[in-house]
Each structure stands twice: as structure tokens, then as C-alpha cells.
Amino acid sequence: MIKTRLNELLGIKYPVIQGGMAWVAEAELASAVSNAGGAGLIAGGSADAEIIRKEIYKAKELTDKPFGINVMLMSPYAEDLMQLACEEKVALVTTGAGSPGKYIEKLKEAGIKVIPVVSSVALAKRMERAGADAVIAEGMEAGGHIGSITTMCLTPQIADAVKIPVVAAGGIGDGRTLAAAFALGAQGVQIGTLLLLSDECKINGNYKEIVIAAKDTDSVITGTNTGHPVRQIRNKFTRRMLDREKEGMSPGEYEKLTEGSLRKAAVDGNREEGSFMAGQIAGMLNENSRRTAKELIENLFDETENIINKLQNV
Ligand code: TUI
């Protein structure tokens, strides 16, 4: 059995945290991941606190295991969601797309574990000083909003720079990549793309088909120069975005073009206009990857143990 400081910190069976996927990670997925022995998350995305409160209540009905919320810090409701987390005493808060420094003290007072996603050594160190319990080192292999360093290079550099546990994210999709994360100095992993295909993930079926069909080179990064770099599967929407970026689109126009695109992917399954965020591991996934969250997580850790055992003979 793989046991690390992350298991201890969160009181979980497997050292895995679910990615905080906006418009994707709802109560059903979060509770399934927690029931499977990981740390499930409800994604705050751009939703207001009352919507997320309902999801928290639903998750409390579905699991008695620890789960948390992910707060996307560019959301206008980020502060409300932090307040909500304290009121509802969720087990953990992960954050993305910014620095949660000013919220950490209050969250800790409420007994909540705080685990920010970071994409640089500098921010990881700042988060440790501010009292974070662990950090998620997210490489640019990940889906959604990303930094510029790969998981392979970011994880060991952050592991060397901080004493708190490091969770590797971006590019983790099977036992080989998970074992590699441990080799890089991580105490656990965050999994997003793999869970898109779990039965409990209720996104539009087209989204799942698009992720399954994706090859290694099928994701692109939009927004590198105009706003926030975002990895997603190439389609008509990304081609238009990249064309407009070349022509010198303003950040304002960028925001306007992206507005609603995630909903169009996750809810409507609009193949042309949706932003189908997914990591580079999409290329590894196939029809057999459609499983329950429990099967996916158990299989992932079985594979990891096998790989680690095999590596003893290298
Ligand atoms: O946040 C994510 N992934 C996301 S958020 C999201 S919603 C969105 N939709 C459209 C455009 C933009 C966002 C979709 N996917 N991952 C965690 C993450 N955080 N990756 C990188 C960062 C990050 C980047 C810069 C964290 C902090 C930061 O700088 C903060 C500072 O103050 O230095």
C-alpha cells in the first residue's frame, strides 16, 4: 500500500486529489472520488456561493468521507466561496489561477486544509510561508489554465524548495506517470483528465468522445499572449482563437470570445464552439477508460505499485 504524508494530512486511503474542473466537478464526481479513497472536490468555477452550497449539501448526502472545494481565484465569487468553505467546514480547499494568500489564515482557523495550485517555485515558497498545508505543482501538460513549466521540471524544483508535501499535477494518467511523480519527489498526485471519463462525471457525452478520440498532439494552448494560457482540445473554437491572437486581439476581446465556452463544452457538448479543456494525457485514454471513479483510482494505484516493484530490478 502506498502511504505518504498526503494520506495522513487528509485522512485518505490513496494520495490522490481530484482536479478542480469548472463546469465538470460536481457533487456526484466529488463524492465518488472521496468514496473511492481519494480527496474529491466540488469546483467553484464561476458559480456563486448558493449554487456551491447546494452541491456541498448533495455531497454530504453521498459521502461521509473528506471532500473539498476548488476556488478559482479569478471568479468574482472567490471571497464568498472561501466564506462558504469556512461555514460548511469542508475538509480541504484547493485554489487555482491566482494566489490565495489573504484567505489562508481564516481557512486554517476553520480547520480546513489549504492546498494551492502553483506553477512556479516562487509561488510555492510564498504559499508555504503563508501557511499552506501542501502545494500542488501543476505542469503545463495539464488541461485548463496553465503555467509554462513541465511537471517533470517543476515538481522536483518545488520539492527541493519547500518542506510541506508536494502534489504533482499535469500528465498523470496511469501507473507509469504516477510512479514517475513519486520519483520526482511528490507525495501525491492531482488527477483531472482521467476522471473526465468516470461514470460519475456527468459532462455531455460529446466531451468524453472528444477526449477519447484525442491523440498526443491534439491539444493546443490559447491565450498565451492575450490573457490566460489555457490548454484544450483543438477544434473550430481554438482555431478561431489562435487566428485572432495572431492578428493581435485585445485582452478584452479574448475574455469576450472565451465567455461561456466551457459551458458550451461541458453542458451542451457543442463540438465547434466549446472549450474542451483536457491535459496531454488525453492521448493515452481510450474506450476502456470509461469506468467508475473507484475502478479508475484502484486500477491506477495497482498499476503504480506494479511499476514501483518492477523498478527495483532496473
Ligand atoms: O486554475 C487552474 N486551471 C483552470 S482554472 C480554469 S477557469 C478559466 N477559464 C478560462 C480562462 C481562464 C481560467 C480552467 N482551468 N489550474 C491551476 C493553476 N493555477 N494553474 C496555474 C495557476 C496559477 C497561475 C498563476 C496560479 C497562480 C498564478 O499566479 C499567482 C500570483 O499571484 O503569482
Side-chain angles (χ1 to χ4, degrees):
M1 256 328 243
I2 295 165
K3 286 267 176 285
T4 74
R5 285 163 68 203
L6 192 72
N7 298 65
E8 255 170 64
L9 178 70
L10 298 175
I12 51 179
K13 182 175 176 194
Y14 296 112
V16 58
I17 300 178
Q18 181 209 313
M21 301 170 282
W23 284 106
V24 171
E26 298 179 335
E28 194 163 352
L29 179 60
S31 56
V33 170
S34 292
N35 282 332
L41 291 178
I42 292 162
S46 306
D48 70 31
E50 286 323 301
I51 293 175
I52 301 305
R53 193 189 298 274
K54 285 194 189 117
E55 291 299 313
I56 292 175
Y57 289 165
K58 257 195 245 173
K60 283 182 177 170
E61 297 267 303
L62 294 169
T63 186
D64 53 9
K65 298 274 194 309
F67 69 88
I69 65 172
N70 170 267
V71 179
M72 204 275 282
L73 291 162
M74 290 191 306
S75 162
Y77 304 108
E79 184 155 3
D80 296 353
L81 293 181
M82 294 298 188
Q83 177 66 32
L84 174 68
C86 295
E87 286 168 17
E88 296 300 333
K89 302 236 180 297
V90 295
L92 76 151
V93 165
T94 67
T95 61
S99 165
K102 63 177 177 182
Y103 303 113
I104 293 181
E105 203 180 314
K106 260 218 169 129
L107 290 165
K108 303 233 25 199
E109 272 170 24
I112 296 167
K113 305 292 186 227
V114 186
I115 312 186
V117 175
V118 299
S119 48
S120 70
V121 170
L123 187 58
K125 283 168 132 174
R126 229 163 81 209
M127 293 298 96
E128 178 174 56
R129 278 200 303 275
D133 294 283
V135 287
I136 299 170
E138 192 180 271
M140 56 86 81
E141 297 92 323
H145 178 47
I146 50 173
S148 56
I149 309 172
T150 58
T151 305
M152 180 89 129
C153 294
L154 185 66
T155 308
Q157 293 186 61
I158 291 182
D160 283 346
V162 300
K163 294 198 175 67
I164 52 178
V166 177
V167 177
I172 319 291
D174 65 1
R176 294 168 298 180
T177 47
L178 204 157
F182 287 132
L184 296 173
Q187 305 282 319
V189 292
Q190 175 190 267
I191 301 290
T193 304
L194 183 67
L195 290 167
L196 289 174
L197 299 184
S198 66
D199 297 341
E200 296 88 348
C201 179
K202 299 300 181 189
I203 49 174
N204 188 289
N206 289 351
Y207 201 146
K208 299 198 184 202
E209 282 181 14
I210 286 167
V211 170
I212 288 170
K215 298 190 303 293
D216 54 350
T217 54
D218 282 342
S219 74
V220 291
I221 304 169
T222 61
T224 301
N225 297 316
T226 45
H228 312 283
V230 169
R231 181 181 301 284
Q232 64 229 283
I233 309 287
R234 183 188 292 107
N235 64 358
K236 187 174 159 195
F237 169 76
T238 64
R239 276 190 284 273
R240 194 173 62 226
M241 291 287 289
L242 292 172
D243 284 349
R244 290 293 300 119
E245 279 176 42
K246 257 190 239 150
E247 293 158 14
M249 145 169 74
S250 67
E253 188 188 344
Y254 172 85
E255 297 303 332
K256 216 164 141 219
L257 279 178
T258 53
E259 204 179 289
S261 59
L262 196 46
R263 182 182 202 283
K264 283 181 194 156
V267 181
D268 307 337
N270 185 332
R271 291 176 180 269
E272 283 81 36
E273 303 296 330
S275 168
F276 293 88
M277 294 184 186
Q280 291 183 319
I281 65 127
M284 287 187 198
L285 305 179
N286 56 45
E287 283 295 337
N288 296 329
S289 313
R290 295 183 191 262
R291 313 267 282 274
T292 64
K294 186 169 193 288
E295 287 169 337
L296 286 172
I297 290 172
E298 283 176 357
N299 184 46
L300 191 58
F301 281 89
D302 281 351
E303 278 182 16
T304 304
E305 286 194 22
N306 286 337
I307 299 279
I308 291 173
N309 288 337
K310 263 202 238 160
L311 287 172
Q312 319 280 332
N313 303 322
V314 169

